[in-house]
Amino acid sequence: MFNFLIIYLAPGNPVEMFIDPNTSADQIELRKEQLGLNDPLWLQYLHWLGNLLQGNLGFSYNSFEPVSQILAERLGPTLLLMGLSLLVGILIMIPLGIVSATKQYSTLDYATTGFSFLGISIPNFFLGLGLIYVFSLQFPLLPTGGMKTLGSDGGFLDRVQHLILPVVVLAIGIAGKMIRYVRASMLEILGQDYLRTARAKGLREFVVTNKHALRNALIPIITVIGLEVPMLLGGAVITEQIFQWPGMGQLTIQSIMSRDYPILMAINLIAAIMVLVTNLLTDIFYSIADPRIKYQ
């Protein structure tokens, strides 16, 4: 309801965004009436909710295509980009966080902490534009954007080339935020008595750190990863726009600019569902990581 209120109270309306400027006021009012924009706000909300309960997300005010069809086309590219970015971020943050904790106050620890602060501090749009300038303009190694090369069939290698820069931008942001959590969680576990006992029994330090310590340090790490998944959708709005990636982020910007209310409401709904699903998955992974956690 809050999202609906904010979207519909924003200045402008869909009719003014896509209709010819020379159109008469009577024609504009007729179009608003046809779209139901002249109805009271509460009635428009009930109409949208009623359609939603029947599995109907409505139609785009601009293209007049079903919203569900538009989202189906855009959701796949965003999930591909988000999934790879999260995977690369995890592959960066866990090893660096472990090394930073085990080599506390060393040069490597300071370097890792510095990388973490850089990852947090550099905005996505700045890093993205910088990477495009270096790797696409100065050294034309990678494409500037899009999902495939124009005129090509978009094969595997071509898709990988288009994924590299946006994935790097998102993964650096994820790893930068998460390394500190991994480091802090590992430091708390490494001083526990049972790890001293494991070392006294002759277990190798690699086994002590990566099997026994990491397993027990996973709970806070799983928590922050679970919180990061829905936020990736927000981060992808900027990144997808910079790299012209045809996903949900770019669709969000286009829908805001054109005041396409049904699409914006559907995107908000997907974001809410993502939060609920990731919270559920996080609880499930708690019990996998720590068998002591049981749900009645």
Side-chain angles (χ1 to χ4, degrees):
M1 291 175 66
F2 188 68
N3 285 331
F4 188 91
L5 183 66
I6 288 180
I7 291 171
Y8 275 75
L9 291 182
N13 63 72
V15 175
E16 295 172 356
M17 301 305 295
F18 69 80
I19 207 164
D20 190 285
N22 299 320
T23 305
S24 67
D26 291 340
Q27 289 176 307
I28 292 175
E29 286 302 314
L30 177 62
R31 191 63 184 147
K32 286 183 180 178
E33 188 68 32
Q34 290 173 339
L35 294 175
L37 296 174
N38 288 334
D39 294 335
L41 196 59
W42 62 268
L43 185 59
Q44 293 184 51
Y45 176 73
L46 290 179
H47 180 69
W48 175 83
L49 185 61
N51 286 333
L52 176 65
L53 294 175
Q54 299 176 45
N56 179 15
L57 293 173
F59 293 83
S60 167
Y61 286 163
N62 291 326
S63 65
F64 303 105
E65 295 178 87
V67 172
S68 56
Q69 178 181 325
I70 296 173
L71 294 182
E73 295 172 355
R74 298 297 191 111
L75 193 57
T78 289
L79 291 177
L80 174 64
L81 179 61
M82 289 170 56
L84 281 176
S85 301
L86 185 61
L87 178 61
V88 173
I90 291 172
L91 292 177
I92 295 172
M93 75 183 193
I94 290 182
L96 288 183
I98 292 173
V99 169
S100 183
T102 54
K103 306 292 184 183
Q104 189 179 16
Y105 304 130
S106 66
T107 303
L108 191 56
D109 181 26
Y110 291 133
T112 303
T113 304
F115 170 77
S116 175
F117 282 122
L118 280 175
I120 297 169
S121 305
I122 300 177
N124 283 359
F125 70 88
F126 184 82
L127 180 59
L129 292 174
L131 292 177
I132 289 173
Y133 177 76
V134 174
F135 294 103
S136 299
L137 301 180
Q138 294 299 313
F139 304 98
L141 302 173
L142 296 169
T144 58
M147 196 171 175
K148 65 179 182 178
T149 303
L150 291 177
S152 73
D153 58 356
F156 176 76
L157 291 179
D158 185 53
R159 187 66 55 85
V160 169
Q161 286 183 320
H162 284 81
L163 273 166
I164 289 174
L165 291 184
V167 165
V168 167
V169 169
L170 290 172
I172 287 177
I174 294 169
K177 285 183 284 187
M178 300 300 185
I179 285 173
R180 296 178 304 154
Y181 290 104
V182 178
R183 180 182 184 274
S185 183
M186 286 296 294
L187 283 174
E188 184 178 351
I189 297 297
L190 287 173
Q192 298 293 323
D193 291 337
Y194 71 91
L195 291 183
R196 296 193 188 97
T197 303
R199 293 189 185 98
K201 288 182 176 181
L203 287 179
R204 290 184 299 131
E205 188 63 28
F206 180 86
V207 176
V208 172
T209 302
N210 293 282
K211 183 178 180 181
H212 298 286
L214 180 60
R215 179 78 179 267
N216 288 279
L218 278 178
I219 298 300
I221 297 172
I222 290 173
T223 302
V224 293
I225 291 175
L227 293 173
E228 187 66 27
V229 172
M231 292 175 64
L232 266 178
L233 186 63
V237 170
I238 298 172
T239 306
E240 287 184 9
Q241 188 67 14
I242 291 172
F243 291 101
Q244 293 301 297
W245 187 262
M248 297 287 288
Q250 191 183 65
L251 179 64
T252 301
I253 296 293
Q254 293 170 352
S255 301
I256 291 172
M257 299 299 292
S258 62
R259 307 297 192 273
D260 204 335
Y261 300 154
I263 292 182
L264 288 174
M265 282 303 298
I267 291 172
N268 278 305
L269 180 65
I270 289 176
I273 292 172
M274 283 185 65
V275 172
L276 296 174
V277 170
T278 51
N279 282 340
L280 175 61
L281 292 176
T282 299
D283 287 341
I284 293 172
F285 282 121
Y286 283 162
S287 60
I288 295 174
D290 189 345
R292 295 172 300 178
I293 298 176
K294 296 186 182 297
Y295 299 108
Q296 301 297 329

